[in-house]
Amino acid sequence: MEVTESVIKEIREHGARAYPYEACGFVLGRFENSGTVRGEKTLEAVNSREAESRRRRFNIEAEEFLEAEKAAQSQGLDILAIYHSHPDHPARPSANDLEKALPFYRYLIVRVANGQAEELTCWLLAPDRSTFLKQNLVIAP
Amino acid sequence: MPIALKIPTALRGFTDGLNQVELEGETVGELLTKLTEKYPDLTTHLYDEDGTLRSFVNVFVDGENVKSLRGQQTKVRLGQSIMLVPAIAGGNFG
């Protein structure tokens, strides 16, 4: 997946700002003719989990998902990826992430340690839902 | 008379790229059953190992989430807007 520098920056900033809670949101962009998936913008979402569980879980309501799709379409873009932060945990999918994952969308995970955004990784659900497959994340102009 | 169920982008890879599928059924649950009969590879994404509809799968009928109506027992009829809509969830727990 290709993303712009600003997408990386915005995800990291959102993760740090939400700490010690999990941040979440969407990456909007385009499927290019070459087959490349190119993320151009982020759209922050509300983590609708109750206060205490927001430290270790996130949830984006279906109603907000619909609004995000409309926002993307109004700009000629699509939802390409879901991002969220793992406060004080590694930037790799948990069993909980796997259980609730959707196919097709890339999942970007940023580790936030003591309020500082660190590693950012990209994943795609395997067709049989058995695991996440790590994807290359390329910063492009 | 078949009823159109709108398919979200994430699942169109399992419906031959179709953004809506025409199905026979009188309730939301019947439409979902017919959908997975027609496209069996969707089953694992819509239902867990126990056959329970996954928590992130939502169906909206005329803009209203059926979770606030009668769930899968919600009646449907021709002319209504019926959409399959994912919620997104996860996190580092577990």
Side-chain angles (χ1 to χ4, degrees):
Chain A
M1 179 180 188
E2 285 186 3
V3 289
T4 60
E5 183 86 46
S6 64
V7 166
I8 299 281
K9 184 168 174 276
E10 287 163 17
I11 292 173
R12 292 168 63 85
E13 283 178 355
H14 189 191
R17 188 169 9 103
Y19 183 89
Y21 300 117
E22 292 201 6
C24 52
F26 303 95
V27 178
L28 313 182
R30 302 169 200 277
F31 297 95
E32 303 199 323
N33 291 335
S34 61
T36 302
V37 177
R38 179 181 161 77
E40 299 177 2
K41 290 184 173 182
T42 60
L43 182 61
E44 292 186 10
V46 174
N47 182 351
S48 67
R49 297 292 306 201
E50 59 278 16
E52 262 318 292
S53 65
R54 281 205 302 269
R55 291 172 183 266
R56 299 185 69 193
R57 290 177 186 269
F58 79 96
N59 192 73
I60 304 173
E61 300 293 338
E63 289 79 358
E64 185 162 13
F65 181 88
L66 275 179
E67 289 302 314
E69 262 200 339
K70 281 184 202 163
Q73 286 164 4
S74 71
Q75 301 171 74
L77 303 174
D78 289 302
I79 296 174
L80 306 180
I82 314 298
Y83 73 82
H84 71 282
S85 61
H86 278 183
D88 298 319
H89 275 75
R92 61 171 183 265
S94 65
N96 186 39
D97 288 326
L98 183 62
E99 184 189 332
K100 293 170 178 166
L102 288 163
F104 178 79
Y105 292 121
R106 273 67 180 170
Y107 282 78
L108 304 186
I109 303 176
V110 60
R111 166 178 162 83
V112 181
N114 296 314
Q116 300 293 313
E118 296 184 348
E119 186 185 16
L120 178 61
T121 56
C122 180
W123 307 83
L124 184 65
L125 182 65
D128 64 0
R129 299 189 67 89
S130 62
T131 189
F132 270 105
L133 307 171
K134 194 167 187 184
Q135 307 290 297
N136 285 331
L137 192 59
V138 177
I139 299 175
Chain B
M1 188 75 84
I3 293 176
L5 174 65
K6 291 180 185 155
I7 307 296
T9 308
L11 301 180
R12 288 177 199 163
F14 302 93
T15 58
D16 302 328
L18 296 173
N19 61 9
Q20 69 175 38
V21 177
E22 305 270 328
L23 301 159
E24 298 276 356
E26 294 184 356
T27 64
V28 165
E30 287 176 16
L31 291 186
L32 293 177
T33 299
K34 294 286 183 186
L35 179 68
T36 52
E37 284 173 5
K38 192 167 186 176
Y39 302 104
D41 290 346
L42 260 179
T43 307
T44 186
H45 296 295
L46 297 186
Y47 297 94
D48 65 18
E49 295 78 7
D50 301 327
T52 305
L53 196 64
R54 292 185 183 276
S55 59
F56 57 79
V57 177
N58 296 270
V59 179
F60 281 63
V61 175
D62 284 343
E64 194 159 3
N65 194 331
V66 300
K67 284 179 179 170
S68 63
L69 299 172
R70 296 191 61 215
Q72 291 190 65
Q73 302 304 315
T74 303
K75 296 274 188 190
V76 291
R77 63 176 188 277
L78 195 65
Q80 286 182 311
S81 166
I82 305 169
M83 308 170 70
L84 200 51
V85 182
I88 310 291
N92 71 41
F93 177 80

